[in-house]
Amino acid sequence: MELPIIEPFKTKMVEQIYRSTREQRVKWINEASFNLFNLRSEQVTIDLLTDSGTGAMSDRQWSAMMLGDESYAGASSYYNLKNAIKEITGFNYFLPTHQGRAAENVLFSTLVKEGDIVPGNSHFDTTKGHIEFRKAIPVDCTVDIASDLTALNPFKGNVDLDKLEVVLKSNAREKIPLIIVTITNNTAGGQPVSMANIRGIHDLATRYGVRFFLDSARFAENAWFIKTREDGYSGKSIREIVLEMFSYTDGMTMSSKKDAIVNMGGFIGFRDEELFRQASAYNIIYEGFITYGGMSGRDMNALAQGLNEGTDYEFLTSRIGQVAYLGSLMKEYGIPIIEPAGGHAIFIDSKSFLPQIPDEEFPGQVLATELYIEGGIRSTEIGALMADRDPLTRANRFSGKELVRLAVPRRVYTDNHIRYVAATARNVYEKRDLIKKGFRIKREAPILRHFTIELERV
Ligand SMILES: Cc1ncc(COP(=O)(O)O)c(C=O)c1O
């Protein structure tokens, strides 16, 4: 019998999980104005709000932290990180930042100005926020199949090359400072982008003279999908695939809190020295000197080690396998989810789950609230609240998709926890007809409103 691939780690330290009663949770979610970001972590039993910065670091990462060099300039930790980034991504130049959106801030301050157009695939909310904040326009060129939530297409995160070419053709070259493609495509359900697609984007970018960057938070998971789903890649290592992916690009932004398994950190990788120099000025203003950029030396050491561990094939197989296990249980219980399962998260289709709740009453948020009340599960809405208002018309952006994302932190929960999550969802599903009404907005911020929004029941 072939032995299964197991988690390539065991537990050395454990952390208390907090239990609560339904009555307590009803009270707490009311006090939180039905915004799960407003809950205290002790009020949550299983926290699937995000896989960002919530992973468990290894003993090697913790010991690398003890060797952190906290020199302001030229720390050895900076050079450790520089070497790891060069080895794994191939980029000669990089700037450390305190997290992914800071990398976006520095890069977009350098490149994006009012009236510009930034095409890509379902830009992540902070990416969209940084583009729109500069009065530029993100253009979503994701393949249409991504909106068919259950189509079993292996690369539903792809860019539609025809749509991209229309954007490139119909706008002046100077209006398009870069193409940014998110791997994996978080907003479209953690779906991967194929190597053929990345190569196709590179060819178009080269033909039209436009820069091509990858928003790379989950680049290793994307490489795992290429290895396991795309013809010609099964015999290649994750590292070889990663190097090939980045070889087609001019650079990357990275939220290290995902595939590099650290609690905080980010960076920008550049191929071009001149662009690196221009961006360095913004890094110094916003983040810190170019050899630390918002990170302490110990954190850069942990990140260098995390990049190695996050690109391990066995780790990725067990991690993505655990997410797929959650998906298979949900399916077994009849719960409508995005298929195939994403790399880092399962996305529940709340419009099918709660068809009685109109988009205007935010069915995604309603379902996320019910999962919390039922079992203390914290998830996040990926729907109209997160999509925010149109910057010009200020109308809510209803895209027709109202999702709840259950993001699985790396190396944190056991399969038993996963079964608890699925059972909670099943209980809510069985009682779904009793849920009659949704929410209206009480208070919201002008941008990235979902983080701080306050809601009340209709
Ligand atoms: C695809 C993607 N890009 C960028 C970011 C922003 O990174 P950070 O949260 O580190 O600022 C995230 C965070 O969730 C993400 O998922």
Side-chain angles (χ1 to χ4, degrees):
M1 183 177 176
E2 198 184 334
L3 296 177
I5 288 187
I6 54 171
E7 290 75 9
F9 53 83
K10 55 186 177 175
T11 310
K12 190 176 302 204
M13 188 185 275
V14 294
E15 184 180 344
Q16 173 79 41
I17 278 187
Y18 295 94
R19 307 308 306 266
S20 52
T21 63
R22 169 181 278 271
E23 288 66 35
Q24 284 175 315
R25 293 193 291 269
V26 168
K27 177 172 170 283
W28 291 335
I29 195 69
N30 267 287
E31 287 167 358
S33 298
F34 303 100
N35 179 348
L36 292 112
F37 285 97
N38 286 339
L39 292 171
R40 298 168 64 116
S41 61
E42 307 95 284
Q43 297 169 338
V44 174
T45 307
I46 306 276
D47 204 343
L48 306 184
L49 183 70
T50 177
D51 64 323
S52 179
T54 53
M57 290 214 299
S58 69
D59 51 357
R60 285 173 197 223
Q61 285 178 290
W62 282 108
S63 58
M65 287 185 82
M66 294 305 290
L67 299 174
D69 174 353
E70 305 302 342
S71 306
Y72 189 97
S76 60
S77 305
Y78 165 79
Y79 287 101
N80 285 342
L81 180 55
K82 185 174 169 60
N83 291 340
I85 290 174
K86 167 73 185 157
E87 194 182 317
I88 289 171
T89 68
F91 291 118
N92 282 326
Y93 305 99
F94 96 100
L95 287 169
T97 62
H98 77 274
Q99 62 182 92
R101 69 200 69 185
E104 291 165 359
N105 187 30
V106 170
L107 183 68
F108 295 170
S109 294
T110 318
L111 291 178
V112 180
K113 55 183 190 324
E114 187 170 341
D116 280 352
I117 287 161
V118 184
N121 58 342
S122 328
H123 308 67
F124 183 66
D125 60 351
T126 59
T127 319
K128 187 154 60 89
H130 270 296
I131 295 169
E132 291 182 341
F133 184 69
R134 290 173 171 78
K135 298 197 165 51
I137 304 158
V139 180
D140 184 353
C141 301
T142 307
V143 285
D144 289 339
I145 190 96
S147 20
D148 181 341
L149 300 186
T150 52
L152 288 175
N153 183 294
F155 291 104
K156 283 165 87 173
N158 277 357
V159 167
D160 181 324
L161 297 178
D162 293 333
K163 286 189 202 168
L164 177 61
E165 184 156 20
V166 169
V167 177
L168 297 175
K169 214 185 250 172
S170 50
N171 290 283
R173 152 77 193 83
E174 321 74 70
K175 283 262 168 225
I176 310 180
L178 79 161
I179 301 165
I180 187 136
V181 173
T182 310
I183 54 169
T184 55
N185 188 334
N186 186 0
T187 313
Q191 301 292 319
V193 177
S194 71
M195 191 71 89
N197 197 245
I198 293 174
R199 210 179 295 122
I201 300 161
H202 162 264
D203 292 349
L204 281 176
T206 312
R207 188 146 16 107
Y208 286 89
V210 174
R211 287 181 203 90
F212 171 26
F213 270 68
L214 288 174
D215 173 353
S216 313
R218 300 179 183 84
F219 72 95
E221 290 173 6
N222 200 78
W224 185 90
F225 283 116
I226 289 175
K227 181 176 169 70
T228 54
R229 291 187 184 170
E230 189 162 351
D231 283 347
Y233 286 93
S234 63
K236 298 213 165 161
S237 69
I238 295 292
R239 291 291 191 84
E240 286 170 322
I241 295 171
V242 167
L243 273 175
E244 183 179 339
M245 285 183 334
F246 288 120
S247 74
Y248 298 121
T249 71
D250 297 295
M252 63 187 286
T253 53
M254 178 71 186
S255 168
S256 308
K257 301 163 72 174
K258 284 84 169 174
D259 277 4
I261 330 179
V262 289
N263 303 119
M264 196 51 73
F267 62 89
I268 317 170
F270 303 89
R271 194 167 306 291
D272 175 33
E273 185 177 359
E274 180 49 31
L275 185 60
F276 157 74
R277 287 193 189 288
Q278 289 167 13
S280 296
Y282 290 101
N283 218 68
I284 292 169
I285 295 173
Y286 292 132
E287 293 295 295
F289 186 57
I290 58 172
T291 64
Y292 73 87
M295 296 187 74
S296 47
R298 54 183 173 273
D299 287 342
M300 288 192 282
N301 265 6
L303 170 51
Q305 174 64 22
L307 283 168
N308 281 295
E309 295 176 15
T311 47
D312 176 77
Y313 172 70
E314 292 202 2
F315 159 67
L316 288 164
T317 303
S318 67
R319 186 262 182 304
I320 296 171
Q322 190 180 48
V323 176
Y325 177 51
L326 175 58
S328 68
L329 292 175
M330 295 279 194
K331 274 205 76 183
E332 191 183 315
Y333 303 151
I335 297 165
I337 59 166
I338 293 197
E339 293 177 71
H344 66 296
I346 292 299
F347 293 69
I348 305 179
D349 172 8
S350 357
K351 277 170 78 82
S352 304
F353 197 114
L354 297 173
Q356 67 274 33
I357 307 290
D359 287 5
E360 293 70 23
E361 294 181 15
F362 309 110
Q365 193 67 15
V366 176
L367 178 53
T369 301
E370 292 300 327
L371 291 172
Y372 174 69
I373 292 173
E374 179 68 25
I377 313 291
R378 177 152 66 170
S379 57
T380 189
E381 181 250 24
I382 302 217
L385 289 181
M386 184 182 268
D388 231 319
R389 291 180 186 272
D390 183 286
L392 297 176
T393 66
R394 303 306 297 158
N396 279 309
R397 288 195 273 212
F398 296 113
S399 70
K401 264 199 243 172
E402 291 291 330
L403 306 171
V404 168
R405 188 187 75 177
L406 301 159
V408 181
R410 293 163 184 78
R411 307 193 289 207
V412 171
Y413 291 116
T414 65
D415 286 354
N416 235 346
H417 293 125
I418 294 294
R419 283 189 279 277
Y420 174 91
V421 172
T424 302
R426 185 186 53 189
N427 287 353
V428 177
Y429 194 57
E430 282 169 358
K431 294 184 282 195
R432 64 191 181 281
D433 292 342
L434 301 176
I435 304 166
K436 303 279 187 221
K437 288 196 181 305
F439 294 120
R440 73 169 78 89
I441 297 173
K442 216 164 60 177
R443 189 167 297 139
E444 66 186 296
I447 196 161
L448 292 176
R449 64 178 178 180
H450 57 289
F451 287 113
T452 51
I453 203 155
E454 294 177 21
L455 302 162
E456 60 193 2
R457 289 206 190 266
V458 168

